[in-house]
Amino acid sequence: MWGLDFSLLDWEEMGQATIDTLKMLGASALLTFIIGLPLGVLLFITARSNSALLRFIYRILSFVVNILRSVPFVILIVALIPVTRAIFGVSIGVEGTIPPLVIGAAPFFARLVETALREVDRGVIEAATSMGASTFQIIRKVLLPESMPGLIAGMTITVVTLVSYTAMAGMVGGGGLGDLAIRYGYQRYEKEVMIVAVVLMIILVQLLQMIGDRLVAHFTRK
């Protein structure tokens, strides 16, 4: 059909590429959540503080986050090659792609966390403060539970963005479906491989978005 022949596809290689993409996605999403959530909370807390020191810290953090968000991901991968090699001993493949994925996505997620926390009713925060709650208690018992739908929506957007980042990582030998699509589709003109790889990534994004939407609906009803 349309000059395409899918019978020669190496499904074993396609399966391995899918697994590699899931490995990159799982590891980078977990580390992005671990780094991005506290960073976003810190941005929110320091931005609202009356302390000159904390507001100075906010300006520094905000500046660093903005810089990391401004660097195109493909350039970030290249710039971080020495760091990646120092951590994993390699700068390509699944392991070599995880550090730039995390450094590229964590600041993005942190901003989404900060935005979600800003949506929390100020009256609830003031009520908790008037009852003598500490900053940590306000974060744990008020801010995070009240902003849960927004946090999940932000994480869903971040994970979907990570899927496109893994595809871009294929341009520099990052492994996974993106690497397969570029090597076979662009360099060897084997369009069948590129089409199947793109379809698999579309299915992955649809599944992630559906799971995220259901979780948001679940926590919104609570």
Side-chain angles (χ1 to χ4, degrees):
M1 184 174 64
W2 298 314
L4 301 175
D5 182 5
F6 292 94
S7 62
L8 298 178
L9 279 176
D10 186 341
W11 291 104
E12 186 176 343
E13 187 177 21
M14 191 65 72
Q16 184 58 52
T18 304
I19 292 171
D20 287 345
T21 294
L22 292 175
K23 283 181 181 176
M24 287 189 285
L25 195 59
S28 58
L30 177 62
L31 292 171
T32 295
F33 180 79
I34 292 173
I35 297 171
L37 180 63
L39 181 58
V41 171
L42 189 59
L43 283 168
F44 176 78
I45 295 295
T46 52
R48 291 167 53 89
S49 175
N50 294 322
S51 164
L53 175 61
L54 291 181
R55 292 190 65 81
F56 175 73
I57 292 173
Y58 170 78
R59 286 194 288 273
I60 297 293
L61 287 175
S62 183
F63 180 68
V64 173
V65 165
N66 287 342
I67 287 177
L68 291 175
R69 289 182 59 201
S70 302
V71 180
F73 183 66
V74 173
I75 296 176
L76 188 65
I77 295 176
V78 176
L80 289 175
I81 284 177
V83 178
T84 305
R85 194 170 287 155
I87 296 174
F88 290 110
V90 294
S91 59
I92 59 173
V94 174
E95 292 180 342
T97 307
I98 291 174
L101 283 174
V102 174
I103 293 174
F108 175 71
F109 179 57
R111 283 297 188 198
L112 295 177
V113 170
E114 184 187 10
T115 302
L117 296 179
R118 285 178 179 169
E119 298 298 321
V120 176
D121 188 346
R122 293 176 64 90
V124 179
I125 300 173
E126 290 170 0
T129 305
S130 65
M131 288 187 289
S134 65
T135 302
F136 180 72
Q137 287 172 325
I138 292 173
I139 293 170
R140 190 167 63 88
K141 296 184 178 180
V142 177
L143 288 175
L144 295 182
E146 291 290 326
S147 62
M148 189 60 72
L151 294 176
I152 294 172
M155 194 62 208
T156 303
I157 294 171
T158 305
V159 174
V160 169
T161 303
L162 279 170
V163 174
S164 65
Y165 280 2
T166 62
M168 279 190 276
M171 295 177 68
V172 290
L177 291 168
D179 177 57
L180 207 62
I182 290 169
R183 275 194 294 119
Y184 284 88
Y186 180 70
Q187 297 174 351
R188 302 182 189 179
Y189 302 105
E190 295 182 22
K191 292 178 287 187
E192 295 86 350
V193 178
M194 183 177 65
I195 290 171
V196 173
V198 170
V199 169
L200 287 173
M201 284 190 282
I202 290 173
I203 293 172
L204 180 59
V205 168
Q206 293 296 323
L207 287 173
L208 291 169
Q209 188 64 56
M210 184 181 69
I211 293 170
D213 289 344
R214 292 195 174 188
L215 286 172
V216 169
H218 174 74
F219 282 98
T220 301
R221 286 195 295 268
K222 280 189 172 181

